[in-house]
Structure formats: structure tokens, C-alpha cells
Amino acid sequence: MLSVQSNIFGKASGGGAMSARMAAADQAKRKFAVTEGDHLTLLNIYNNFSKISKERQSQWCQQNQINYKILMRADQIRNQISKYAKRYNLLNSSSSSPSTEAIRKSIVAGYFAHAASYELDGLYHTVRGDLKLTIHPSSVCYVKDPPKWVVYHEVVFTNKEYIRNLTAIEPHWLAEVAPHFYQFRGLNVPDSSDVGKSEQKTKQPRFG
């Protein structure tokens, strides 16, 4: 989905219909939005698409302002990856679907070098290099109270430096999946499960 998602909600046509089409596309995206971030939102879109019969998939995409050709290409890529995974016995034997947390941890395993925390200046600061970045407006995380910690897919340079395609994470996951990349120092940072409670001693990742 990441390799083909740039225009997944289609292109707005020119003329007076542009703003209406853009608004409709944004509304459609919010319909599939997952609060944990853009990666899970894209997965949610694909999972819904894959449940539709082949005969109705094009119509479903049209109704939801989604680019049918892009999802078809994503489906082809997934099938290719699945074939390789079966050939080399890489598939999980469990019949149950992975939890949201398990999926997010697997995303962290791939993007641990792209971690950032939201700071008091209203910007995300990368753990590596302390770059100051802004959430791209197209992200489902572009909300009043964005997640404290994220990993991101890419940085987009326009009038600002934006991070695009985010997933909300727990900071200690970084050391769990990439101990070779992170070292830790103790800081008074409240855990997300203890919001509103007294601060407790936890660990925050530091690149080193």
C-alpha cells in the first residue's frame, strides 16, 4: 500500500468541482481512519476492499472516492509477496488475525530509525538528529492532540518539512525491536496508559 498509495483517494478534477471532490475524498478517508495512524488506515482500506466480490470492487471504490487501479496494483503486490512467503515458509501458522499492537510493533521493526516525539513547540523532533518536523495535513494523525510518539514512512519537503504516513507507538518498543540502534536513559515520562496519573519513572529512547 505504501508503494502505491500517493493518490489512493483519486485526483480532484479541475473547475468548480475541485473543492467538492476534495471534500468528498477527505470524508471518505475519515470513514476508514484508524486512530493509531496512517499505516493501519491503509490496511483497513485494503482489508475492506479485499472483502468485496471482484465484480463489485470497482463500484465500491467509486462510491468511496478510492482509486481502483491503485488498490488492484496493491493486491497484485500482496499476492506476489504471499507466494514468496509460502515458498520460504515465512507465513504465520496461526489462523487468528494479529492484534493492532502486534501490527504496530512490526511497523516499528521496519521504521525504528524514523522515530519522533511530539514536543512543546508543536513539532515532532526526530530521535536521530533532532530534526523538527510537522505532520502532513493528509495524515489521520493531523488532529488537535497528536500522538506523543510515532514512526513515519517519509519526509516531504515543500514550504515546510512534513512527515507522512505515521503510526503511533510506545517509546519502549524501539528498544525491544532495535536494541542495536537505541540506548536508554531514565526520564520522568508518563506512560500512555497512565495519562492523568502521577508521573512515573520510565525509559525514553536515545540514539547512540
Side-chain angles (χ1 to χ4, degrees), residues 80-99:
Q80 291 172 356
I81 294 174
S82 179
K83 288 179 181 178
Y84 283 115
K86 289 178 181 177
R87 180 182 301 177
Y88 296 104
N89 296 318
L90 298 176
L91 292 178
N92 191 332
S93 59
S94 174
S95 60
S96 60
S97 299
S99 66

Side-chain angles (χ1 to χ4, degrees), residues 183-189 200-206:
Q183 64 182 20
F184 272 65
R185 62 170 182 243
L187 289 177
N188 287 323
V189 180
Q200 59 180 343
K201 194 80 168 180
T202 61
K203 292 182 176 180
Q204 179 173 338
R206 179 180 64 187

Side-chain angles (χ1 to χ4, degrees), residues 148-204:
K148 171 61 178 175
W149 282 88
V150 299
V151 290
Y152 58 91
H153 173 61
E154 62 183 352
V155 178
V156 179
F157 297 93
T158 56
N159 60 320
K160 294 182 180 180
E161 296 180 0
Y162 291 105
I163 46 176
R164 190 164 62 183
N165 293 322
L166 286 65
T167 287
I169 68 167
E170 298 296 336
H172 62 268
W173 293 350
L174 295 169
E176 291 179 15
V177 303
H180 60 288
F181 195 82
Y182 289 100
Q183 64 182 20
F184 272 65
R185 62 170 182 243
L187 289 177
N188 287 323
V189 180
D191 186 84
S192 61
S193 62
D194 294 307
V195 175
K197 298 180 180 180
S198 60
E199 290 188 343
Q200 59 180 343
K201 194 80 168 180
T202 61
K203 292 182 176 180
Q204 179 173 338

